[in-house]
Amino acid sequence: MKRIFYKALGLMMWTVSLLPFWAIYIISDTLYFILYYIVRYRRKVVAENLDIAFPKKTDGEKKKIARAFYHYLADMICETIKLSSISAKSVVKRFHLNNPELISNYLDEGRPVIGLTAHYGNWEMALHRLSILAGKHPALVIYRPLSNTYFEEIFNAIRSRFGAQLVPMKQTLRKILSYKDRPHISMFVSDQTPTRNESKYFASFFNHPTLVFLGAEKIARKTNFPVIYCHMDKRKRGYYECTFEILFDQPALTVDHEITSRHLHLLETTIRHRPELWLWSHRRWKHHPQ
């Protein structure tokens, strides 16, 4: 019965995705009202995270960011549903790459690339756009499996529409090494919170000790694949852009935690620029050094 329910849910999402964007945003505005005012979805978590990240901001400033975040969250949910049927042409139109040659030049040279992004902007549309950019080259999307396998099926079907290969985190090294002699992109959404069993390293993020994954750094140093940071921004509703920046061309020459620290510094700068575009409902600071 569960499978039937989620199959029906997937079909309903696909049907909704056929609506034009103006209709999608009517749904999003309604969803914002429900999430913020009625359900009050994780409002306490959002408030606590904003207190940690912006201790010098006034309550009014933080409340303004929170409301803007819930507008963004509703858009993100509805835009992700839209990705179920969106065309490649529309993805290219709505997600602009300011310097795609930085990636394509590496691939043309036969060098694989490790990309670092975060739950910022529309990261799901970004994965579509990078899959299209990769073209004939493999695009690996490293993800953390969901506890709900039915939801995972639905979202992985969306994410793989333009050829992306979904790679569970525990299989990352083996999968990337299987492509070591072939140019490809490996994308890490690198701001998730590990469990204590998955990492013991705390880095400074928003001047707060933050438990972080080191997987992308370890793989980059082992393979010596160039590491690229994907700086995302929002142009206007439904339109995004990304500027690539080389973090390390020769990551094998870096020292422990250098890649992770550089990435977190850039991510924090990005978030401070447009804080409403980050996933504040995620419990980012639930672990503390012992």
Side-chain angles (χ1 to χ4, degrees):
M1 286 300 294
K2 279 188 177 181
R3 177 164 291 276
I4 293 173
F5 169 79
Y6 284 103
K7 286 287 185 182
L9 178 62
L11 178 60
M12 184 182 70
M13 289 172 60
W14 181 81
T15 302
V16 171
S17 77
L18 299 177
L19 294 171
F21 269 96
W22 63 263
I24 290 291
Y25 289 126
I26 291 176
I27 297 173
S28 176
D29 289 341
T30 304
L31 181 60
Y32 157 75
F33 184 84
I34 294 170
L35 290 174
Y36 189 75
Y37 290 104
I38 300 177
V39 178
R40 299 176 65 87
Y41 174 72
R42 292 199 173 190
R43 281 183 56 172
K44 184 178 179 181
V45 173
V46 172
E48 289 173 350
N49 283 340
L50 290 173
D51 285 341
I52 291 171
F54 302 113
K56 295 183 180 181
K57 288 189 180 295
T58 66
D59 290 343
E61 288 172 325
K62 286 180 281 192
K63 189 173 182 179
K64 183 178 179 180
I65 293 172
R67 283 199 301 266
F69 160 71
Y70 279 95
H71 276 293
Y72 149 73
L73 179 62
D75 276 1
M76 177 65 196
I77 292 169
C78 292
E79 287 170 2
T80 299
I81 292 173
K82 181 66 178 175
L83 296 180
S84 298
S85 63
I86 196 171
S87 68
K89 182 179 179 180
S90 186
V91 171
V92 171
K93 176 185 176 182
R94 290 178 172 274
F95 202 103
H96 181 72
L97 301 180
N98 293 319
N99 53 344
E101 67 282 354
L102 192 149
I103 298 285
S104 57
N105 286 347
Y106 275 123
L107 297 179
D108 291 344
E109 293 169 3
R111 296 188 69 185
V113 172
I114 290 176
L116 300 181
T117 185
H119 291 94
Y120 184 89
N122 192 324
W123 68 89
E124 297 288 357
M125 191 183 294
L127 298 178
H128 271 6
R129 185 64 185 91
L130 288 168
S131 297
I132 295 168
L133 173 64
K136 64 181 180 181
H137 303 294
L140 310 182
V141 176
I142 315 305
Y143 78 101
R144 192 176 193 174
L146 301 175
S147 57
N148 187 314
T149 57
Y150 300 105
F151 264 127
E152 183 174 332
E153 273 187 41
I154 292 173
F155 284 107
N156 285 359
I158 295 174
R159 291 166 176 162
S160 61
R161 285 192 58 232
F162 297 105
Q165 299 182 40
L166 282 298
V167 182
M169 289 178 65
K170 291 184 178 180
Q171 301 175 23
T172 302
L173 180 59
R174 182 175 62 185
K175 187 68 174 181
I176 289 178
L177 289 179
S178 73
Y179 282 106
K180 64 183 176 64
D181 297 320
R182 182 178 174 184
H184 66 275
I185 301 174
S186 297
M187 286 302 306
F188 290 77
V189 183
S190 298
D191 61 340
Q192 297 185 12
T193 302
T195 65
R196 288 283 189 174
N197 292 330
E198 293 172 322
S199 177
K200 300 186 183 304
Y201 178 68
F202 284 83
S204 178
F205 186 54
F206 281 94
N207 299 313
H208 197 82
T210 307
L211 190 64
V212 296
F213 281 110
L214 294 174
E217 172 177 309
K218 290 178 179 178
I219 291 172
R221 295 180 69 191
K222 183 178 183 66
T223 61
N224 204 32
F225 296 162
V227 180
I228 308 296
Y229 175 68
C230 306
H231 174 89
M232 283 190 278
D233 204 348
K234 183 177 181 179
R235 290 183 162 185
K236 59 181 181 179
R237 198 175 199 184
Y239 290 83
Y240 302 85
E241 66 180 357
C242 179
T243 302
F244 299 118
E245 180 176 340
I246 301 173
L247 294 192
F248 297 94
D249 182 73
Q250 300 287 336
L253 302 179
T254 63
V255 299
D256 286 352
H257 310 141
E258 186 176 358
I259 295 173
T260 300
S261 296
R262 177 64 177 155
H263 170 239
L264 289 176
H265 171 74
L266 287 176
L267 176 58
E268 182 176 329
T269 300
T270 298
I271 295 169
R272 288 185 182 277
H273 172 64
R274 295 281 296 276
E276 69 275 13
L277 299 182
W278 194 50
L279 195 62
W280 294 101
S281 54
H282 173 54
R283 293 183 182 275
R284 194 63 191 88
W285 290 288
K286 63 183 178 181
H287 298 299
H288 306 280
Q290 294 179 339

